[in-house]
Amino acid sequence: MAASYKKLWKLLIDKDMRREDLRLAAGITTTAMAKLGRNEDVKTSVLLKICKVLDCDISDIMEIVEDEK
């Protein structure tokens, strides 16, 4: 199983917000943003910071999907 952050990118589009704007507002590193862009594992604290900025729940920005075969 793997994490997918497609919901996050759609939410940013809906809110007319750039990735860089989110990164600065949440106070997360460029490395963390790059990991999100590659659907890699990130710390829960990063996800919580994003949720706080976007006023949403973790399930609104990510989902668990089956590994690609």
Side-chain angles (χ1 to χ4, degrees), residues 3-47:
S4 171
Y5 300 102
K6 288 181 182 179
K7 287 182 169 186
L8 171 60
W9 311 130
K10 179 168 182 345
L11 187 59
L12 287 182
I13 291 169
D14 292 345
K15 291 185 177 272
D16 195 28
M17 189 176 202
R18 297 179 310 137
R19 290 182 184 203
E20 182 66 7
D21 297 334
L22 174 63
R23 188 185 72 77
L24 293 172
I28 59 177
T29 64
T30 54
T31 303
M33 282 302 290
K35 285 183 175 186
L36 289 166
R38 294 188 301 266
N39 288 325
E40 294 180 1
D41 293 337
V42 295
K43 292 182 177 184
T44 306
S45 60
V46 169
L47 298 175

